[in-house]
Amino acid sequence: MDLLIATQNVGFSPIKLFLDADLVVKAVIIGLALASIWVWTIIFSFTIKMSGISRQSEKFESEFWESDDIGAFAKTHSQSALPVAKVFAAGMTEWRRSTNGKTIDRAGTRERLSTAMDAMIAAETDRLANRLNFLATTGSVAPFVGLFGTVWGIMRSFAAIAAEQNSSLAVVAPGIAEALFATAIGLFAAIPAVIAYNRFSHRLNQYEARMGRFADGFHGTLSRELEHEV
């Protein structure tokens, strides 16, 4: 407690450091603070979004495998925005196109079904991963932006030493403190971004694999249906 009071008395509180900082250091701190806010916004929104998608996908797949009429099931879920439902819709669309003629190319139909669903899986995975790029960028860049603020603060300290011709802590400490504060803000933005990006990438890979397993199962169902087509 005594150390905290003493630190505040000499002006080393975060708010005081920011207010006394150079314009360049202030710009660095503000930019990193905004990046940190956006990082946490993505973290919370993506967590909520993926939790909802996982629950709804589990329900969708359960209903699908329990359904006896694929056509009726397709009509019921035709407007669904669920990624796995879009994979299903892509398969159904290609199925109708390939079996609409008088003659059916079974091998070609199977290949087109696989291509259509794989393409939809890739598209939906890219759409879900769209905002994760910001996490990766922040995790890579934020420490260097903070380091830039650090270098600038140290340069300011040397300039103060040259102007005052005095190398005492009273002259050097403010610039060094600003520099270290910029570094801390950079790490505060980067560390959660890196952790979240790795975690969310793993979770997205799991969901992509889940869509792939559903597509394989659905492809098998339609392949067996082809055997009954004339």
Side-chain angles (χ1 to χ4, degrees):
M1 181 62 71
D2 292 337
L3 179 60
L4 178 60
I5 294 173
T7 303
Q8 291 176 341
N9 287 337
V10 295
F12 288 141
S13 68
I15 295 176
K16 181 66 174 175
L17 288 173
F18 174 77
L19 294 177
D20 292 343
D22 181 80
L23 287 177
V24 174
V25 179
K26 281 183 179 178
V28 168
I29 292 174
I30 291 173
L32 291 173
L34 292 175
S36 180
I37 292 172
W38 187 237
V39 162
W40 283 104
T41 300
I42 293 175
I43 289 174
F44 286 121
S45 63
F46 191 84
T47 299
I48 294 172
K49 183 177 183 179
M50 286 306 299
S51 296
I53 286 177
S54 296
R55 288 194 302 270
Q56 294 172 29
S57 296
E58 184 175 354
K59 181 180 178 182
F60 177 89
E61 293 180 35
S62 177
E63 291 178 356
F64 172 78
W65 295 117
E66 292 175 359
S67 176
D68 295 327
D69 189 340
I70 295 180
F73 182 84
K75 290 181 180 179
T76 303
H77 296 85
S78 60
Q79 302 300 320
S80 177
L82 199 63
V84 69
K86 290 185 178 181
V87 174
F88 168 74
M92 285 300 299
T93 299
E94 184 57 46
W95 167 262
R96 292 187 180 113
R97 289 174 179 173
S98 297
T99 58
N100 196 31
K102 294 182 179 179
T103 58
I104 299 175
D105 180 6
R106 289 180 171 81
T109 297
R110 290 188 177 96
E111 184 176 349
R112 287 190 294 271
L113 284 170
S114 180
T115 300
M117 288 190 286
D118 287 345
M120 184 57 68
I121 289 173
E124 287 302 301
T125 302
D126 288 342
R127 184 179 65 83
L128 290 173
N130 184 41
R131 297 173 74 185
L132 298 187
N133 292 331
F134 184 81
L135 297 180
T137 302
T138 301
S140 300
V141 174
F144 294 100
V145 176
L147 182 60
F148 171 76
T150 301
V151 173
W152 191 270
I154 293 174
M155 289 172 59
R156 189 182 176 206
S157 295
F158 281 116
I161 291 174
E164 298 288 337
Q165 295 186 349
N166 186 352
S167 60
S168 67
L169 286 177
V171 175
V172 178
I176 299 297
E178 295 166 13
L180 295 177
F181 186 54
T183 302
I185 296 296
L187 294 176
F188 183 76
I191 292 173
V194 171
I195 294 174
Y197 178 78
N198 291 333
R199 174 58 184 164
F200 292 157
S201 295
H202 176 67
R203 191 167 184 180
L204 198 57
N205 289 337
Q206 287 182 318
Y207 189 72
E208 182 180 10
R210 181 174 188 169
M211 288 191 291
R213 288 192 296 271
F214 173 80
D216 290 342
F218 185 38
H219 186 277
T221 299
L222 294 179
S223 293
R224 288 190 295 272
E225 191 69 22
L226 275 174
E227 302 300 326
H228 303 292
E229 296 289 336
V230 179

